[in-house]
Amino acid sequence: MDDLFQNPISAATRFCAVYGQPIRHSGSPAMHNPALAKLGLDWRYLAFEVSPDALGQAIEGARAMHFVGLNLTVPHKLLALELVDALDESATTWGAVNTICFEAKNDSGDWTPLGQLTDPPAGGIRAKGYNTDADAITLALQQDLGLSLAGLRVLFLGAGGAGRVAALKLAAEGVAELHLVNRTVAKAEKLASEITGRFPQTKASVGYPENAANKIDLVLNATSLGLKPADALPLDESQFTLANAPAVFDIIYQPALTPLLARATNASCRTANGLGMLLWQGAKALEIWTGQPAPIDVMRSALESHIYGDE
Ligand code: ATR
């Protein structure tokens, strides 16, 4: 890895960063710095512990210092909607900002990412907010499970913050059926009616598929069950048998093999964990800042070594 960092930091080095609280667990610097080196960019990606009441100041500081861009993680993604100067359609559609791109006007007067301008900007800089989390869900399902989502029947477990965006994104991609299961049934009902209102072509219903023999194309866990070793399965196997699903995705990536994924592997399902979501949200952010395709293989292997070590 050392050879990737042979270029020392200089007065010309540009910066991007992730803000969060807590931040020390973040895999983003480990994933982005080798990617920046691979692209031959004299940039560095940093991580800062930023409290919600200091988020505005921290964004202003990055703007003043001509940072290329920022990623935002918990608890900043909603707050940032009010703090940026412009919102990309992705941020308005999904109601959250996880990526900020700083932009200035180029010689033709068009707003251009700072990372794609060679000279320091002469005029004002604006902060534009994007959401790359939602696209990352689709990309992870496509790349890691080989799924194309239109027309699929999905058993969807969870209706919390992450689950809501994932379920809405699946509906936006045209899945045919979403069977929503959640401990708090009222939250699943609310999500089902939001899906029906926004994406009426998707049949959203609450509970397991009525006939347990009904085939499902994908089981997706968006609950936090599986993070801790003592957690129960997020799926009630008396209501649905994994043998009726060819593919199972768990948004949890630590541990790599959750109890649900272990059961699914035993049932001969194709499986993937949520590492791909982390990878693709970062890759899409990098592409927004640089205007170049992200080096996915470098990012994936850096992320895997950071999270799983050499096991
Ligand atoms: P996140 O932002 O990660 O989605 P969240 O909004 O707190 O976090 O959502 C957590 C999800 O895991 C919810 O679907 C939650 O179910 P409830 O809506 O009933 O709270 C689910 N979850 C968490 N702990 C659970 C448990 N012990 N049993 C069943 N579901 C659980």
Side-chain angles (χ1 to χ4, degrees), residues 74 157-164 181-185 187-188 221-225 231-234 251:
V74 177
L157 311 171
R164 176 181 162 272
V181 170
N182 195 50
R183 173 180 60 180
T184 310
V185 176
K187 277 161 73 178
N221 176 45
T223 77
S224 51
L225 286 176
D231 281 346
L233 277 186
I251 67 166

Side-chain angles (χ1 to χ4, degrees), residues 192-227:
S193 56
E194 186 177 2
I195 292 165
T196 305
R198 288 177 66 174
F199 305 104
Q201 84 286 0
T202 296
K203 188 169 170 291
S205 56
V206 174
Y208 288 92
E210 271 177 21
N211 175 353
N214 268 358
K215 294 282 185 208
I216 282 289
D217 301 301
L218 168 69
V219 175
L220 190 152
N221 176 45
T223 77
S224 51
L225 286 176
L227 281 172

